[in-house]
Amino acid sequence: IQSEKSGYKPQVGFFGNYLLDKGSQGAVDDWEDSWNLGIALEWDIWNWGETRARVQKATHQKNEIDTQYALVRKSIELEVKSAYLNLDAASQQIETAKKSLEKAEENLRVTNLLYKEGMATTTDVLTAQTDLTSARNKYYQSMYDYQVAYAELEKSAGVVETY
């Protein structure tokens, strides 16, 4: 914008020349020197609004860049917040899965005791073992989800580089 506004002001230029010449003005064998200095002033006072149009265009471009910057900034903030919330949810899933795993282990222990006493069937034991396996799978899946959410948070926060 400042560069385009410079069109409203005059442009000043300085110049200087030095000439060493032999035989051009005087005797053929004489060396003569001459020099001159000058100032050039140029001021375009009537350019049919071209300078104003360039200033307006530069202002609009700056406003557009500022808007894009604000959008990118908000997008990054949203991505970081979303990644943090995903990490928090994954952490809570781990706690839930851990409690479920403990209950499944206790259920299998009790079912095995009942089976030894003849109060439970092999189907009950197999069901308890299946529930334990399912609880373990959910626990390990929640641990995996937590690691993925943590990596996403690091990526969105700019802690690690992506290739």
Side-chain angles (χ1 to χ4, degrees), residues 13-31:
F14 298 98
F15 62 89
N17 290 317
Y18 176 76
L19 178 65
L20 181 62
D21 200 8
K22 182 177 181 180
S24 63
Q25 304 258 340
V28 176
D29 291 337
D30 286 341
W31 285 91

Side-chain angles (χ1 to χ4, degrees), residues 7 20-21 26 36 47 54 62 64 73 104 118 151 155:
L20 181 62
D21 200 8
N36 61 356
N47 61 5
R54 286 195 313 245
K62 182 192 177 296
E64 184 177 328
R73 184 177 176 96
K155 177 185 157 264

Side-chain angles (χ1 to χ4, degrees), residues 1-157:
I1 293 173
Q2 290 300 103
S3 174
E4 295 300 339
K5 282 184 178 179
S6 70
Y8 290 129
K9 299 174 183 168
Q11 296 178 12
V12 178
F14 298 98
F15 62 89
N17 290 317
Y18 176 76
L19 178 65
L20 181 62
D21 200 8
K22 182 177 181 180
S24 63
Q25 304 258 340
V28 176
D29 291 337
D30 286 341
W31 285 91
E32 295 183 10
D33 61 340
S34 64
W35 55 272
N36 61 356
L37 296 173
I39 298 175
L41 177 67
E42 181 180 341
W43 195 354
D44 196 5
I45 57 174
W46 188 262
N47 61 5
W48 301 96
E50 181 182 339
T51 303
R52 183 173 40 89
R54 286 195 313 245
V55 169
Q56 287 176 346
K57 180 180 177 184
T59 302
H60 289 299
Q61 288 174 339
K62 182 192 177 296
N63 291 341
E64 184 177 328
I65 289 170
D66 289 344
T67 302
Q68 289 175 353
Y69 173 77
L71 287 173
V72 168
R73 184 177 176 96
K74 290 287 185 187
S75 172
I76 291 170
E77 288 173 2
L78 179 63
E79 184 178 344
V80 169
K81 187 172 184 175
S82 175
Y84 176 76
L85 292 175
N86 288 342
L87 181 67
D88 189 42
S91 176
Q92 291 174 2
Q93 278 183 335
I94 289 174
E95 292 303 317
T96 303
K98 187 183 279 187
K99 289 177 184 176
S100 177
L101 180 60
E102 290 170 358
K103 287 180 183 178
E105 287 172 344
E106 180 63 19
N107 184 32
L108 180 61
R109 187 186 71 76
V110 169
T111 305
N112 279 333
L113 289 175
L114 289 175
Y115 178 73
K116 287 180 184 175
E117 297 295 324
M119 298 174 69
T121 63
T122 56
T123 305
D124 294 334
V125 173
L126 290 174
T127 302
Q129 287 176 343
T130 303
D131 291 344
L132 177 62
T133 302
S134 176
R136 281 185 181 145
N137 285 341
K138 287 179 183 177
Y139 176 73
Y140 290 125
Q141 182 64 44
S142 66
M143 294 290 284
Y144 173 80
D145 291 343
Y146 179 84
Q147 293 298 323
V148 169
Y150 187 77
E152 285 294 323
L153 178 62
E154 283 184 330
K155 177 185 157 264
S156 64

